[in-house]
Amino acid sequence: MRIARFVVDDDPLFGVVEGTPGSEEVAVIQGDPFYGGVQLTGVRHALEDVRLLAPVIPRSKVVGVGRNYADHIQEMGSETPAAPLIFLKPNTSVIGPGDPIMLPSFSDQISYEAELAVVIGRICKDVPLERVDDVVFGYTCANDLTARDVQKTDDQWARAKGFDTSCPIGPWIETDLDPENLTIRGSLDGDLRQDGSTSDMIWGARELVAYVSQAFTLLPGDLILTGTPAGVGLITDGQRYDVDIEGIGRLSNPARR
């Protein structure tokens, strides 16, 4: 099931995206599916007639994971961490499909990173690996934008990874998906730059949920970004980056200075 968040007139709504490309519709959900489940109202809109938003604004946090693909570690000249390397991005970093990435004035080296994002569905803590699927609402595409120059000069990554608009997500949340072997690609202005698979993760998506939940109480709508494959590079004013993940779809965002 594909859960989208969108606007038709004014107020944001949730809906289920149904149909095949070119003839897709959004069936409106009553209320918030994170708390009330999926109850359809009977109202439907053509997908082309609505504006998609970020499928969720995290209630409390976005948890990022660094250096989780060996090929990306190699291209960056880094060392493989002994355990998942985690950091936080504020929820003000989140934007939706088509929204502009606003390149910050304090950096001249903003890099794209195509990633699979886990969307948490219920409050949880210390989740055992075998129970992870019980707390996951679904999965979506993400772009973990990073100010590389600031990342090198700051002792911590808050500014480099947490600036406003640094976390595009979307286009929707896929609730029925096995995250362990999905193709993940990223393209800059149509030119393929990243081409990997979630099977290449050092720590899989389920392992990361269990690990992160040992440190943080996770709330409905929280996001966990699972790392990026090799091929990262810089994005500049006027360029567009597309993230394509098998079983989910495409997230596309332009950059603006």
Side-chain angles (χ1 to χ4, degrees):
M1 184 182 297
R2 294 176 290 174
I3 304 293
R5 183 168 162 266
F6 65 97
V7 290
V8 178
D9 296 315
D10 297 315
D11 295 330
L13 300 169
F14 285 95
V16 178
V17 179
E18 300 175 334
T20 57
S23 60
E24 291 164 304
E25 292 186 327
V26 184
V28 179
I29 294 172
Q30 181 176 337
D32 188 334
F34 284 88
Y35 293 95
V38 176
Q39 302 180 51
L40 300 181
T41 66
V43 177
R44 306 177 72 87
H45 300 280
L47 182 61
E48 62 185 11
D49 292 337
V50 308
R51 181 169 69 89
L52 293 176
L53 306 174
V56 65
I57 298 297
R59 268 63 172 185
S60 65
K61 55 192 166 295
V62 179
V63 182
V65 178
R67 302 178 191 169
N68 196 31
Y69 285 78
D71 57 359
H72 175 57
I73 293 172
Q74 183 177 9
E75 75 174 347
M76 299 301 290
S78 304
E79 295 182 357
T80 302
L85 178 60
I86 60 177
F87 56 89
L88 296 175
K89 295 166 78 89
N91 59 11
T92 50
S93 67
V94 173
I95 57 173
D99 290 340
I101 300 160
M102 301 307 297
L103 304 174
S105 59
F106 56 78
S107 173
D108 295 319
Q109 297 179 14
I110 301 299
S111 177
Y112 49 78
E113 296 187 9
E115 308 202 7
L116 175 71
V118 184
V119 186
I120 300 299
R122 54 184 290 187
I123 188 169
C124 58
K125 180 76 167 71
D126 293 321
V127 182
L129 186 60
E130 63 273 14
R131 295 290 304 277
V132 165
D133 287 348
D134 295 339
V135 306
V136 171
F137 187 84
Y139 300 87
T140 192
C141 305
N143 188 351
D144 178 23
L145 291 146
T146 305
R148 293 295 180 204
D149 44 1
V150 174
Q151 189 180 31
K152 294 175 182 177
T153 59
D154 289 7
D155 288 337
Q156 299 199 23
W157 293 356
R159 193 165 63 116
K161 290 217 176 243
F163 59 88
D164 288 352
T165 75
S166 66
C167 188
I169 61 171
W172 39 64
I173 301 167
E174 175 56 65
T175 63
D176 185 17
L177 192 69
D178 184 342
E180 298 304 321
N181 187 21
L182 303 173
T183 299
I184 177 169
R185 295 188 173 98
S187 301
L188 183 67
D189 288 341
D191 182 20
L192 183 65
R193 297 299 179 90
Q194 296 185 269
D195 188 2
S197 170
T198 58
S199 63
D200 296 328
M201 290 181 184
I202 298 171
W203 293 280
R206 292 184 178 94
E207 292 176 275
L208 293 175
V209 173
Y211 182 83
V212 169
S213 74
Q214 295 173 8
F216 309 118
T217 297
L218 297 173
L219 303 182
D222 281 354
L223 298 173
I224 299 176
L225 311 185
T226 58
T228 194
V232 301
L234 302 183
I235 186 169
T236 59
D237 180 40
Q239 293 185 305
R240 176 178 291 271
Y241 202 69
D242 299 334
V243 178
D244 290 276
I245 300 182
E246 180 183 0
I248 301 176
R250 170 172 290 183
L251 169 69
S252 182
N253 297 89
R256 298 285 182 266
R257 175 69 71 181

